Amino acid sequence: MKKILFVLIICSLAFSCKKASYPELDVKGHTLFTASVENIKFGTDASDNKWDLDDNIGVFGSESGTNVKYILKKAGEGVHDGEFYGPCVEGSDVVAYYPYKQVYNASFAGGLPSTLEGTQQYVAANTALDQFLSYNPAAFATLRDAKLTFEYPYGLLQVKVMTDDVVEGFKIESPAAAISGAGKYTAGGYVMDAASSKTVELALSEPVHTKTDTGNTAFWFVLPCGSYALLNLTITFEGGEESGCALQNITIKRVTPTDFEVAAVEVGTDDLDGFVPETVEFDK
């Protein structure tokens, strides 16, 4: 049985609108919202995170609770903050998602649902950004200060095993908060359902070497943003042997195009003890 003795943590995105909390604007029977895409569109550099003319968003009001399509005004093309127009939505809370889907199988019910898969796949060719976007299919926003600022609900954790071994899988367990399964993006932000799972597994289609000619292999977990006092990591080595360790004081940051600093954990078998915080920005 392999025993992991240390963990190095590197801590690093008008019409009559009843009970509306936003300005009521009369635009030929429609309402305007200003929406920002600055924190969610990834490209070769920060100048890419701007609206395209064919972008649409879905908007829900807490009273009507149905999916309403809002269309970008032409003047919003090529800018971070664009104006969208659509039929008036009703309610004291307004929550939106991007990109718009004609069939959105949800009602408002206090927020918009977003489910994080509890079994995630390791893909050797994936960059950190590839893995991140694979499990963040939609961005969400709630109306604050008369503006919708879209963000992704999940962030990244990188794990490196600082040994020369072969691994077959990983599992992270949270003794407190749920970290996978069903959740909602509400007016107060993203929250996991209390009955959701406290486990995330990283599945490998085949055994993977922890060390290559270019360095130690990076394994990426997608987790809800937030601070975790404790996460328990279990690594399955070749042949089925398991070894575990405690990850303490982990902060999963919100990843954005201009801030790609993420939490990173290095696990090895040297007799080091304690935690060394640093800030590292990873290549997307």
Side-chain angles (χ1 to χ4, degrees):
M1 179 75 68
K2 299 177 185 293
K3 185 178 181 181
I4 295 176
L5 300 177
F6 82 90
V7 180
L8 172 65
I9 298 181
I10 307 172
C11 296
S12 52
L13 117 191
F15 248 40
S16 171
C17 298
K18 300 178 182 178
K19 302 179 183 177
S21 59
Y22 50 86
E24 297 179 5
L25 303 173
D26 185 358
V27 188
K28 295 182 180 179
H30 289 64
T31 301
L32 288 175
F33 289 117
T34 297
S36 173
V37 76
E38 187 171 5
N39 291 333
I40 63 167
K41 279 207 170 184
F42 293 87
T44 55
D45 57 53
S47 65
D48 293 325
N49 51 346
K50 298 176 181 178
W51 290 114
D52 296 321
L53 192 56
D54 60 351
D55 282 330
N56 301 307
I57 63 175
V59 180
F60 285 73
S62 56
E63 185 171 312
S64 55
T66 55
N67 183 30
V68 179
K69 180 180 181 179
Y70 272 63
I71 300 170
L72 180 68
K73 291 177 64 178
K74 187 174 182 180
E77 183 180 19
V79 298
H80 297 310
D81 296 352
E83 286 189 322
F84 287 77
Y85 66 93
C88 183
V89 294
E90 298 177 357
S92 58
D93 295 327
V94 173
V95 180
Y97 71 96
Y98 169 81
Y100 170 80
K101 292 182 179 180
Q102 185 174 2
V103 178
Y104 191 89
N105 294 321
S107 57
F108 184 79
L112 298 187
S114 180
T115 299
L116 179 59
E117 293 184 34
T119 300
Q120 300 170 14
Q121 301 296 319
Y122 168 78
V123 179
N126 272 6
T127 65
L129 182 58
D130 292 333
Q131 191 76 356
F132 174 76
L133 293 177
S134 293
Y135 296 97
N136 279 276
F140 299 90
T142 186
L143 192 67
R144 297 191 182 99
D145 300 324
K147 183 178 179 180
L148 295 166
T149 300
F150 283 93
E151 61 187 19
Y152 288 111
Y154 313 126
L156 282 170
L157 171 66
Q158 184 205 67
V159 174
K160 286 187 176 181
V161 182
M162 308 304 288
T163 63
D164 190 1
D165 285 295
V166 176
V167 292
E168 295 182 342
F170 295 81
K171 180 170 65 175
I172 288 180
E173 295 176 286
S174 168
I179 55 175
S180 69
K184 289 181 182 177
Y185 197 93
T186 72
Y190 184 76
V191 292
M192 295 292 299
D193 291 354
S196 291
S197 175
K198 296 182 178 181
T199 300
V200 171
E201 296 188 20
L202 188 64
L204 281 57
S205 60
E206 60 184 13
V208 176
H209 285 272
T210 59
K211 188 174 183 179
T212 67
D213 293 339
T214 57
N216 291 88
T217 304
F219 300 93
W220 296 99
F221 288 84
V222 179
L223 299 173
C225 295
S227 297
Y228 300 89
L230 176 65
L231 294 173
N232 294 313
L233 172 67
T234 300
I235 303 172
T236 303
F237 290 88
E238 189 174 33
E241 294 185 26
E242 292 186 346
S243 184
C245 59
L247 312 180
Q248 299 179 24
N249 302 319
I250 297 290
T251 297
I252 305 300
K253 295 179 61 178
R254 198 171 305 284
V255 176
T256 72
T258 55
D259 185 0
F260 210 79
E261 294 178 351
V262 302
V265 175
E266 293 182 352
V267 179
T269 53
D270 294 343
D271 56 348
L272 296 179
D273 189 18
F275 306 93
V276 181
E278 294 182 17
T279 299
V280 175
E281 181 166 322
F282 293 91
D283 185 4
K284 298 189 287 289

